[in-house]
Amino acid sequence: MSAPWKDVVLENVPTGPVAARIYNGEGLKKAAPLVLYLHGGAFLDTDHATNRPVAASLAEAGAIVVAADYTSCNQNAFPKVLECAYGILAYLSNKRNMLALGGAKKSLLFVAGEESGGNVAAGVALKARDQIPGSLDGQVLISPLLDPFMGSKSFLQAEESGMRERWTEGWNRYLGFLGGVCHPYAAPRYCSRLSGLAPALVLTAEDDPLRDESMEYGSRLKAAGVRVRQQVLPAGTGWPTLYGGQSKDRASWQQDICCCFKGFVEDVQA
């Protein structure tokens, strides 16, 4: 699955100009949803000039997807990486009717991310609720890497997928050896106030080491009164390859992401 894209620079972002790759799905409708996409990479990946299959999948669902370089200027360290991502979201919110992206004033605005980008997306959604309430229409959390203590039962599969050491290294980089773990924006899983957040789409898979923490966060959002759409894809979709892990199965998850996002947009619009 692929979608046309172009590389641009977003000027006037509060934290400074940001390089971005913009994906446009085929047959975009007027006022197509606008998505800020935050890539994964275990808090270690700072390479923005690469294709992002998750972003392409969201674009194929009929969205304009801004895959922004939110990491290279801050080396994925909290709080600067969160501030950069939030600054991009605020910029898109303010300029959605002026950007040459096919967006419009009434375009829905989403933040999306997988794995470590899912954690940052969840933190951005919290900050948006607190500082620009009502501006964010939804958050898309795709196997979000939420637990710095890596203690869930499903995480036992991290060794098999080849991700345990990488995630340990990544959390240490992001939090500064757990110095920021108490901050709710840094580790949303431990946030005690989740009410008032934008609706959430939470996706994971049966053979995903991040399954339990993803599902737990979705359940906590529901308990706080947040509208949540959750789905656990069956094992065998090659899901660990989504975030760079090993899998013996052929990756077939892109169409699932496309379909799930379409349904989520319909839910938000209802």
Side-chain angles (χ1 to χ4, degrees):
M1 181 178 290
S2 61
W5 53 265
K6 63 179 178 179
D7 288 329
V8 302
V9 175
L10 304 178
E11 303 286 353
N12 302 317
V13 174
T15 53
V18 173
R21 179 162 290 181
I22 299 176
Y23 293 80
N24 293 281
E26 297 292 342
L28 286 175
K29 297 179 180 179
K30 185 178 180 181
L34 183 60
V35 181
L36 169 60
Y37 163 76
L38 307 176
H39 65 76
F43 299 117
L44 299 172
D45 182 6
T46 59
D47 181 13
H48 75 280
T50 185
N51 283 327
R52 302 291 182 186
V54 173
S57 298
L58 297 172
E60 287 293 335
I64 299 152
V65 182
V66 181
D69 175 18
Y70 71 106
T71 59
S72 65
C73 65
N74 48 58
Q75 297 302 303
N76 265 314
F78 182 83
K80 289 185 177 180
V81 67
L82 189 285
E83 291 170 353
C84 181
Y86 170 77
I88 300 167
L89 181 79
Y91 169 83
L92 294 177
S93 178
N94 291 332
K95 302 295 183 181
R96 72 178 96 179
N97 64 325
M98 299 173 61
L99 294 171
L101 302 173
K105 198 167 187 176
K106 60 181 179 180
S107 294
L108 296 175
L109 178 64
F110 297 87
V111 62
E114 91 267 8
E115 196 234 16
S116 58
N119 183 85
V120 178
V124 166
L126 284 166
K127 189 166 183 175
R129 175 202 62 188
D130 296 340
Q131 299 201 8
I132 47 174
S135 62
L136 184 63
D137 296 295
Q139 52 183 315
V140 181
L141 310 179
I142 303 172
S143 279
L145 181 63
L146 296 167
D147 183 10
F149 298 109
M150 300 176 288
S152 70
K153 288 184 179 180
S154 67
F155 198 83
L156 295 174
Q157 297 172 311
E159 199 72 54
E160 181 181 339
S161 67
M163 293 299 295
R164 180 180 292 275
E165 290 186 7
R166 183 167 169 79
W167 280 332
T168 299
E169 180 184 356
W171 273 119
N172 285 338
R173 172 183 283 190
Y174 183 63
L175 297 176
F177 295 93
L178 301 185
V181 70
C182 61
H183 198 292
Y185 297 166
R189 179 178 184 266
Y190 297 104
C191 180
S192 60
R193 189 172 66 88
L194 297 176
S195 61
L197 284 169
L201 170 64
V202 183
L203 297 178
T204 184
E206 286 287 353
D207 54 352
D208 181 12
L210 305 178
R211 182 192 67 238
D212 289 352
E213 57 198 85
S214 299
M215 295 303 290
E216 180 208 34
Y217 190 64
S219 297
R220 291 191 61 228
L221 289 174
K222 285 183 180 178
V226 179
R227 292 167 58 193
V228 178
R229 183 184 180 113
Q230 287 179 282
Q231 185 161 341
V232 181
L233 301 181
T237 63
W239 189 262
T241 61
L242 177 147
Y243 45 69
Q246 301 168 3
S247 174
K248 64 181 183 300
D249 302 302
R250 182 178 64 85
S252 60
W253 44 262
Q254 287 178 269
Q255 189 60 45
D256 292 311
I257 289 177
C258 179
C259 292
C260 290
F261 181 63
K262 279 184 178 179
F264 180 55
V265 172
E266 291 173 359
D267 287 349
V268 172
Q269 291 174 327

